[in-house]
Amino acid sequence: MKARAFTYVRARSLEEAVTRFGEADGEASYISGGQSLVPALALRLQAPAVIIDLAGIATLRGVMLEDGALRIGALTRHADVLTHPLIGAHAPLLREAAPHVAHPAIRNRGTIGGNIALADPASEFPAMLLAIDARVEIFGPAGFRQVPADDYFLDLYQTAAEPGEIVTAILVPPAPPGTVIAMDELARRRGDYAMVGAGLQGRFSTDRTVEALRIAFFSVGATPVRAKGAETAVIGNALDAVAIAKAQRALDDDLDPMDDEEVPAAMRRHLARVLLGRLLQRMRDKT
Ligand SMILES: Cc1cc2nc3c(=O)[nH]c(=O)nc-3n(C[C@H](O)[C@H](O)[C@H](O)COP(=O)(O)OP(=O)(O)OC[C@H]3O[C@@H](n4cnc5c(N)ncnc54)[C@H](O)[C@@H]3O)c2cc1C
């Protein structure tokens, strides 16, 4: 199938992009890396009359430390997340997740802004943003605003961004010294979307007690999910077998996984428990 004919606009500024979007009367789509939009156009799952290319907007580029936060521009490609030294140093969980996102060809074009804007519940980066307590910077007709990742993912492919608003950057509090991370997913084949995945970021005290921990799952529901019960089960405790088992039990209340023919909900729950156990042990082994 071929995409419907559309008008192509290469925006030079955020203001121009938002204005052109507004003029299209709900018939426009932004494009960044095109790795999700182009297949959707070809399958006519989306058929916008106007496509507004964000790739030429200079302010969406760059990774820098600014005002005490790591600022990752929306046009940062998945491949750059894997190799950028500032991301490796200050947001190591994102780097850990990057090799799990699709295949090298897609990682060379797909952008973190497009990925977060799309908010696919099976996607790795959205859950990592919850685990690292990131904020999403958004630009719209009323200017810039910031939304904590915890409040950004609202429902299936639905975010706190209004139609026409642009994800401009991800803002990350730099991981403090001694930060311990663990990330993995269970997929049928490497490069496939995961049946279940999770990212963890925490800190341990000198006596190996868990001081801080954030746990976020993906591919378990309509949005990425913080496992707050599991976090509470281990914070303040040594990460021994008893604490890990307690965290795994707490997951039953944290998660309400979806059911489908490929992966029944009960299997997702089981896989999530197994994965959490592995990741907590991996963290313990690093301390
Ligand atoms: C075969 C295949 C396998 C894949 N596997 C995975 C995987 O395992 N994990 C994973 O996470 N992803 C996977 N992807 C998706 C990939 O990561 C995409 O790159 C990503 O989801 C979208 O990024 P993009 O920059 O290409 O966005 P685009 O395709 O350009 O846009 C995606 C959507 O976001 C909107 N948009 C784009 N940029 C912005 C912005 N800055 N602000 C507001 N809206 C915007 C667009 O209008 C569109 O609706 C896969 C894709 C393919 C084709």
Side-chain angles (χ1 to χ4, degrees):
M1 207 185 279
K2 274 168 123 179
R4 171 190 164 186
F6 52 81
T7 302
Y8 173 82
V9 177
R10 190 167 170 84
R12 290 286 161 203
S13 68
L14 288 172
E15 290 77 7
E16 183 192 355
V18 166
T19 302
R20 295 300 294 263
F21 195 100
E23 288 166 0
D25 217 11
E27 284 282 301
S29 285
Y30 294 125
I31 189 165
S32 287
Q35 297 305 290
S36 295
L37 185 67
V38 170
L41 295 177
L43 293 167
R44 297 222 178 175
L45 297 172
Q46 289 186 50
V50 182
I51 289 189
I52 303 164
D53 194 342
L54 304 177
I57 302 178
T59 51
L60 295 179
R61 297 196 176 276
V63 178
M64 65 204 81
L65 282 168
E66 192 182 80
D67 298 331
L70 178 70
R71 181 190 173 83
I72 305 174
L75 288 174
T76 305
R77 300 169 314 147
H78 308 329
D80 301 325
V81 173
L82 197 51
T83 56
H84 199 290
L86 282 178
I87 295 179
H90 301 294
L93 194 59
L94 287 180
R95 182 192 52 195
E96 190 86 359
H100 295 276
V101 180
H103 309 278
I106 290 157
R107 293 201 291 268
N108 280 334
R109 296 201 73 101
T111 68
I112 195 160
N115 184 280
I116 296 307
L118 184 66
D120 187 323
S123 190
E124 288 82 359
F125 288 145
M128 299 311 116
L129 295 199
L130 294 186
I132 63 180
D133 199 14
R135 282 168 292 144
V136 181
E137 186 191 76
I138 297 169
F139 179 83
F144 286 97
R145 64 195 180 101
Q146 292 178 13
V147 182
D150 276 326
D151 303 328
Y152 174 79
F153 300 100
L154 299 183
D155 206 341
L156 194 62
Y157 301 110
Q158 274 181 41
T159 73
E162 300 291 336
E165 285 192 314
I166 297 172
V167 171
T168 47
I170 311 302
L171 306 169
V172 186
T179 294
V180 181
I181 57 154
M183 185 273 159
D184 214 340
E185 62 184 44
L186 300 170
R188 292 194 195 278
R189 287 172 307 188
R190 190 158 179 83
D192 274 6
Y193 282 102
M195 294 182 283
V196 171
L200 284 68
Q201 177 165 302
R203 267 192 339 273
F204 291 77
S205 59
T206 41
D207 66 356
R208 301 177 86 198
T209 302
V210 182
E211 263 180 6
L213 180 64
R214 289 173 73 100
I215 304 173
F217 275 85
F218 55 97
S219 264
V220 290
T223 62
V225 179
R226 274 278 297 285
K228 290 187 181 171
E231 291 171 3
T232 307
V234 290
I235 290 171
N237 297 312
L239 209 44
D240 55 17
V242 173
I244 292 176
K246 204 170 149 202
Q248 287 174 307
R249 280 196 301 277
L251 264 192
D252 278 343
D253 289 334
D254 286 333
L255 305 183
D256 184 15
M258 68 271 197
D259 214 355
D260 60 45
E261 279 176 24
E262 292 248 320
V263 192
M267 182 171 160
R268 269 186 222 275
R269 274 190 191 283
H270 172 72
L271 294 177
R273 261 185 250 124
V274 170
L275 186 61
L276 181 65
R278 280 185 199 167
L279 291 173
L280 287 172
Q281 276 170 30
R282 213 179 279 174
M283 287 185 106
R284 183 180 62 192
D285 294 345
K286 289 182 187 175
T287 63

